[in-house]
Amino acid sequence: MNAQTNSRNIIHVDMDAFFAAVEQRDNPSLKGKPVIVGGRPDSRGVVATSSYEARRFGIHSAMPINEAWRRCPHGVFLPVNMAKYQEVSKQIHTIFLDYTPLVEPLSLDEAFLDVTGSTKLFGSAEKIACALKKRIRQQLNLTASVGVAGNKFLAKLASDLEKPDGFVIIDPNKVQQFLDPLSVTRIWGVGRKTAEQLFEINIHTIKDLRSLDEKTLNGLFGVLGRRLYELARGIDNRPVESISQAKSIGREITFEEDIANRESLETVLLKLALDVARRLRRKQLKARTITLKIRYPDFRTFSRSRTLAEAIDLDDIIYRQSLTLLSEIPLKSPVRLLGITLSNFISQEVVQPSLFEESQNREKEVLTRVIDEVNEKFGKDIVTRARLLKNRL
Ligand code: TTP
Ligand code: MG
């Protein structure tokens, strides 16, 4: 299969300077001014985002606030009002759902929409993308950048190309022309490490990357090799996974060497718990059932499940539940595989607030969401647990 035969219509929407744009909207005196969201100039925090006026001073997300202040002392520095941005995020999501049920949120201000099945009703994907931008502007008084293409990878690239207020459509017949001059760093999954490896062998652009055959790429990058081979050709068959479609979220690890030590198993469990919990929250779900799976070297496999009265999505709670399940399985020999699966979902939006009376949990929820946002932007292990740092897996 190649990009040309792929007949899906995918739209990627990403709001412009999201937190800062919401603040400018709600206080029109800030329009046209450099607005930095993240905290007071004398605070020790980092910039969450800044308006495009502030970006001209070299300010960007994750820069220390005091550095931003040094560059732009006349800027308007505002605290993060996460509850407000979450509310706006919901409103954007509601607009998306008017055009397709296949909406996959990536973060508060970003989502994929599969509109393949919507074109009969609403016209071409281009028309739908136009309508989305218009409604976001008229109803919410904000601007979004959109990308329209045959798959997720290309649509996301496209939405980023003409920010702010961007609108880029990738013609299915010109995919290669579009991709070839771009840097390999634009490829999803190519982080700093992979990029450095590619630069070392003189691969800089996507065109360069196409000169490597699949076998070479597999040799260099293992499982990522095949993805690189495909993405360099604009092929990406991943479906848009809407919230309601997921039935379970799981992750398991087969160890290179069987593990007998319980403490090591617990560390692996923490890693697995953090991974499934984050994916659960990304889909704005909570789970009521957690299942632990263990496989021994002779392939005997055991699992233990527990269904809880309350749906959960916090790292700590999922980790604690998985530890309890582990303690219920007598460890008679070393372990070959360990896995956690979450299922029995409910949408976060329908969870009754009364279920979270403990304010400690509410604080944890807010903190967890902030950590998720940071990890989402900078690769998933920027904010992690000390236990995992000590035992880098
Ligand atoms: P982005 O979409 O990366 O940034 P943006 O919307 O502010 O600007 P643009 O898309 O036009 O480049 O992130 C969305 C929001 O997520 C952003 O408004 C603030 C938050 N965020 C952080 O809190 N920390 C970060 O490091 C980043 C990158 C974003
Ligand atoms: Mg954005």
Side-chain angles (χ1 to χ4, degrees):
M1 187 190 277
N2 61 35
Q4 276 77 2
T5 60
N6 190 339
S7 59
R8 290 184 300 155
N9 290 306
I10 311 295
I11 299 176
H12 180 255
V13 183
D14 188 326
M15 303 299 293
D16 302 319
F18 185 48
F19 295 2
V22 171
E23 298 299 346
Q24 285 179 321
R25 175 193 76 172
D26 294 348
N27 179 355
S29 74
L30 301 179
K31 287 235 161 83
K33 291 193 182 154
V35 172
I36 297 100
V37 181
R40 292 160 49 88
D42 55 357
S43 73
R44 293 177 53 198
V46 294
V47 174
T49 193
S50 57
S51 65
Y52 278 77
E53 293 85 358
R55 294 183 197 195
R56 283 190 216 117
F57 297 87
I59 295 172
H60 56 76
S61 297
M63 173 181 275
I65 289 275
N66 52 18
E67 169 68 14
W69 184 76
R70 215 180 45 74
R71 289 176 187 240
C72 187
H74 61 289
V76 181
F77 288 79
L78 299 173
V80 174
N81 186 345
M82 198 57 96
K84 180 153 85 171
Y85 314 137
Q86 275 172 346
E87 189 51 42
V88 180
S89 178
K90 269 192 204 158
Q91 293 165 343
I92 300 166
H93 197 80
T94 308
I95 295 180
F96 295 160
L97 290 174
D98 279 348
Y99 295 89
T100 173
L102 292 177
V103 178
E104 179 179 340
L106 289 180
S107 68
L108 281 186
D109 85 324
E110 215 184 317
F112 286 114
L113 287 74
D114 185 333
V115 296
T116 316
S118 316
T119 51
K120 277 208 187 88
L121 203 57
F122 299 105
S124 65
E126 190 180 331
K127 257 198 172 150
I128 296 173
C130 235
L132 286 170
K133 271 176 74 84
K134 197 166 159 194
R135 283 194 53 194
I136 291 171
R137 192 167 50 241
Q138 288 180 345
Q139 265 174 257
L140 304 178
N141 204 0
L142 293 168
T143 63
S145 292
V146 303
V148 185
N151 63 46
K152 286 162 93 170
F153 167 56
L154 294 170
K156 190 167 161 68
L157 268 183
S159 74
D160 198 41
L161 276 189
E162 288 181 8
K163 260 184 168 296
D165 206 14
F167 185 42
V168 174
I169 300 154
I170 300 190
D171 179 341
N173 299 312
K174 294 185 183 151
V175 168
Q176 210 60 67
Q177 257 164 276
F178 163 78
L179 284 178
D180 274 353
L182 300 180
S183 159
V184 287
T185 54
R186 301 297 298 251
I187 294 182
W188 219 347
V190 174
R192 217 185 50 212
K193 230 173 92 188
T194 311
E196 274 166 17
Q197 263 176 288
L198 287 167
F199 296 160
E200 259 170 41
I201 52 170
N202 218 12
I203 302 289
H204 296 273
T205 65
I206 294 185
K207 187 172 186 193
D208 297 339
L209 184 61
R210 266 199 307 130
S211 68
L212 301 181
D213 61 27
E214 203 175 333
K215 218 172 127 199
T216 312
L217 283 168
N218 285 342
L220 285 170
F221 301 105
V223 278
L224 181 65
R226 184 175 170 78
R227 261 193 84 57
L228 290 179
Y229 180 86
E230 290 182 344
L231 293 178
R233 286 156 183 79
I235 300 168
D236 176 15
N237 295 319
R238 285 169 309 169
V240 170
E241 285 184 278
S242 66
I243 292 165
S244 56
Q245 282 188 325
K247 293 270 185 290
S248 69
I249 291 174
R251 166 116 190 251
E252 54 187 44
I253 295 181
T254 302
F255 309 125
E256 279 173 25
E257 280 174 33
D258 301 333
I259 298 181
N261 175 301
R262 184 174 283 271
E263 202 186 328
S264 305
L265 287 173
E266 288 178 359
T267 305
V268 175
L269 214 51
L270 175 59
K271 187 181 168 67
L272 293 171
L274 294 181
D275 182 77
V276 292
R278 179 169 45 218
R279 282 161 52 210
L280 181 75
R281 292 191 298 269
R282 222 177 95 174
K283 291 184 185 295
Q284 295 179 6
L285 295 172
K286 293 192 178 215
R288 286 189 56 212
T289 303
I290 174 163
T291 305
L292 181 80
K293 176 170 154 190
I294 276 194
R295 178 168 292 148
Y296 291 109
D298 61 4
F299 280 84
R300 276 179 313 139
T301 306
F302 296 87
S303 56
R304 285 280 181 284
S305 266
R306 155 176 294 220
T307 295
L308 306 156
E310 285 182 13
I312 54 174
D313 75 341
L314 292 178
D315 296 343
D316 284 351
I317 299 180
I318 290 171
Y319 176 52
R320 264 190 277 134
Q321 290 294 341
S322 65
L323 280 180
T324 309
L325 290 170
L326 181 68
S327 70
E328 287 171 7
I329 302 181
L331 293 177
K332 293 194 196 104
S333 72
V335 173
R336 175 186 160 81
L337 170 150
L338 200 56
I340 298 179
T341 302
L342 302 173
S343 56
N344 207 349
F345 296 143
I346 53 173
S347 165
Q348 278 175 5
E349 280 162 28
V350 301
V351 176
Q352 308 266 320
S354 61
L355 293 177
F356 298 98
E357 272 156 9
E358 275 181 72
S359 71
Q360 212 190 348
N361 265 0
R362 225 173 296 134
E363 274 167 28
K364 264 190 195 161
E365 288 212 324
V366 173
L367 179 66
T368 302
R369 278 182 224 310
V370 173
I371 291 173
D372 281 349
E373 286 265 333
V374 173
N375 282 333
E376 203 67 58
K377 297 292 163 191
F378 298 107
K380 55 182 180 164
D381 289 326
I382 282 280
V383 180
T384 189
R385 301 293 171 111
R387 180 167 189 160
L388 293 182
L389 289 178
K390 272 188 278 163
N391 302 273
R392 270 284 181 208
L393 289 160

